Amino acid sequence: MLDHVPFEILIEIMTRLPVKSLIQFTSVLKTWKSLIRSSKFIADYYTNLRSQRQHLIQYNHHSHYQQNCFVSIVDDNTFPEHQLTLTTPSSLSLDNLALVGSSHGLFCFVARKGTNILSKVVVIWNPSIRKSVAIYVHNDIKEDEDCFLGFGVCPNTLDPKIIKICKFDGNLEVVVFTLSSRTWRSPLSNIMLSNNLTITSPYSNIVIGGLIYWCALKSFLYTIVSFDLTSEEFVEIQLPDELKLSYQMDSRIFKLRESLVVVQQHMNNDYQVWIMENKVTKSFTKLFNINILPDLSVIKPCGFRMNDQLILESSCHLVAYDPSTESIKNLGFDGRINSFDVTSYTESLLLIDNSESLIY
């Protein structure tokens, strides 16, 4: 029967199938295995799945404080009812586990302590196919050295990269790790970063359109730093005057509809949400304000849903704020967790295998 199906139609069908089915297909025919592992097929598959986002929630149970737990929630009209507890590899049993970033369905984690790396191992994990790989962090960490990491998948080569930037005695050292070669090296382009730059979230970055973004402070003013995963160039992005001042406010960056968003929290618990609409001119527009939320305490923004709702953490539970109705919905995690990292992702066919390095 398959002999009568045109190969082009077969490809269209496969790009719409779940990851688990495609993994099984690689054992059926060698031609299917070669197709599914090709870079072009993975790129097409990822593009088709962009509209089928999920949220990966990292939390710790009160009863097992050191245990890292992960839940995947489908971001559709059933949100947050469709939940799946994920089986995590032993490589993610690190204490003080922090999410560095996510890209193309892969997640990068590291153990951290304050602004320094606690563990010399970084773990890249694909929850869709339950594969992970542990990577030794390049060179030793000097005492009192400030370091931050970045992670993303190069859109041209589909090669995961880890960026490590350390500042010691006022000097910056940058090294890049590529998973296909399993080597650390200097970046392809000259480093164009100011020595007085401080990343405000050393273990948290956002990847959009082949660029890694970090929120930073420069001379006590907020700015944003980007790293091009293809050219490996750094760029500092100037923020509007309303977003620059660092006193009486806290700024975090997120992704919304493939655009960069800045959520600014003032001391009185008011929020301003800005979006970078033009990637060329880097212009920002205010989306909406959130006034004081009297029923919530210890509020922290965690990310956005596809429908523009802002997910917030408050007193060990999650809520979703709808800007169109100015209403708040409880997401049902009350009283049983301590902390969250909420990241949007889609299933990925990037296969990480200890014996075959990186399989496409």
Side-chain angles (χ1 to χ4, degrees):
M1 178 178 176
L2 289 174
D3 295 337
H4 302 288
V5 179
F7 193 63
E8 294 77 12
I9 301 299
L10 184 62
I11 294 176
E12 287 294 320
I13 295 173
M14 285 187 171
T15 56
R16 287 161 173 78
L17 293 176
V19 166
K20 292 181 181 179
S21 298
L22 292 175
I23 299 303
Q24 294 174 342
F25 286 176
T26 59
S27 302
V28 177
L29 294 173
K30 290 184 178 180
T31 54
W32 288 11
K33 180 178 180 180
S34 176
L35 168 66
I36 293 171
R37 289 182 171 182
S38 67
S39 298
K40 184 180 185 310
F41 181 87
I42 292 176
D44 293 341
Y45 185 81
Y46 182 78
T47 301
N48 287 338
L49 284 181
R50 278 186 175 178
S51 61
Q52 303 176 29
R53 294 286 185 186
Q54 301 181 52
H55 289 280
L56 183 76
I57 299 178
Q58 175 190 351
Y59 67 95
N60 300 112
H61 275 289
H62 284 305
S63 58
H64 303 285
Y65 183 76
Q66 297 298 329
Q67 180 181 353
N68 297 295
C69 303
F70 296 89
V71 171
S72 176
I73 303 181
V74 178
D75 193 354
D76 58 14
N77 56 4
T78 67
F79 184 89
E81 298 172 4
H82 190 181
Q83 301 180 18
L84 175 65
T85 300
L86 300 178
T87 302
T88 55
S90 58
S91 57
L92 289 180
S93 60
L94 303 170
D95 293 340
N96 299 304
L97 190 69
L99 176 67
V100 176
S102 65
S103 178
H104 286 66
L106 303 183
F107 294 84
C108 181
F109 293 91
V110 68
R112 54 94 178 100
K113 181 178 181 180
T115 59
N116 284 329
I117 297 174
L118 180 63
S119 170
K120 295 181 180 179
V121 176
V122 172
V123 178
I124 301 177
W125 177 41
N126 185 339
S128 302
I129 58 174
R130 301 182 182 181
K131 288 184 179 290
S132 67
V133 61
I135 299 157
Y136 177 76
V137 178
H138 177 74
N139 68 27
D140 293 329
I141 304 300
K142 304 178 182 68
E143 186 177 357
D144 298 326
E145 184 179 33
D146 290 329
C147 295
F148 65 91
L149 299 174
F151 170 77
V153 176
C154 178
N156 292 350
T157 63
L158 294 180
D159 199 356
K161 294 183 179 182
I162 300 170
I163 298 87
K164 178 188 167 202
I165 304 176
C166 289
K167 182 165 61 175
F168 183 71
D169 287 340
N171 298 316
L172 289 176
E173 176 189 343
V174 180
V175 287
V176 179
F177 177 90
T178 52
L179 189 56
S180 60
S181 64
R182 299 294 184 102
T183 58
W184 292 90
R185 56 171 173 76
S186 298
L188 299 175
S189 301
N190 293 330
I191 303 173
M192 301 296 292
L193 289 177
S194 302
N195 288 335
N196 60 346
L197 198 70
T198 301
I199 300 299
T200 57
S201 299
Y203 301 104
S204 179
N205 64 248
I206 303 298
V207 180
I208 303 173
L211 297 174
I212 299 177
Y213 293 94
W214 296 271
C215 192
L217 283 174
K218 181 181 179 182
S219 302
F220 302 102
L221 297 177
Y222 273 113
T223 185
I224 292 176
V225 176
S226 70
F227 176 82
D228 192 310
L229 285 160
T230 301
S231 65
E232 299 186 356
E233 294 178 331
F234 286 95
V235 174
E236 292 182 28
I237 301 173
Q238 297 297 319
L239 294 173
D241 291 339
E242 293 181 72
L243 291 175
K244 284 183 179 180
L245 298 179
S246 61
Y247 63 89
Q248 294 187 344
M249 65 184 66
D250 180 34
S251 294
R252 299 172 184 266
I253 57 174
F254 301 97
K255 180 166 67 174
L256 173 63
R257 300 192 306 271
E258 299 303 316
S259 295
L260 183 71
V261 171
V262 179
V263 178
Q264 185 184 77
Q265 179 182 5
H266 294 255
M267 291 185 66
N268 58 1
N269 246 4
D270 287 351
Y271 290 81
Q272 293 183 358
V273 180
W274 296 69
I275 187 170
M276 188 173 72
E277 293 185 330
N278 192 314
K279 296 180 181 179
V280 178
T281 62
K282 308 295 189 298
S283 58
F284 286 81
T285 303
K286 186 186 293 185
L287 279 179
F288 56 86
N289 294 328
I290 303 177
N291 296 324
I292 296 175
L293 306 174
D295 298 331
L296 303 178
S297 60
V298 194
I299 305 171
K300 184 184 77 174
C302 296
F304 283 90
R305 292 190 57 201
M306 290 182 61
N307 61 4
D308 295 4
Q309 290 182 359
L310 176 61
I311 300 176
L312 300 162
E313 177 190 349
S314 173
S315 301
C316 296
H317 65 272
L318 290 184
V319 298
Y321 175 82
D322 189 341
S324 61
T325 62
E326 298 184 355
S327 61
I328 296 173
K329 179 181 179 180
N330 195 307
L331 301 185
F333 281 88
D334 300 89
R336 61 186 183 90
I337 35 81
N338 290 320
S339 62
F340 292 93
D341 281 311
V342 180
T343 305
S344 297
Y345 77 104
T346 189
E347 289 190 328
S348 175
L349 262 174
L350 286 176
L351 310 184
I352 301 172
D353 188 283
N354 293 330
S355 61
E356 297 185 59
S357 184
L358 182 67
I359 307 173
Y360 292 123

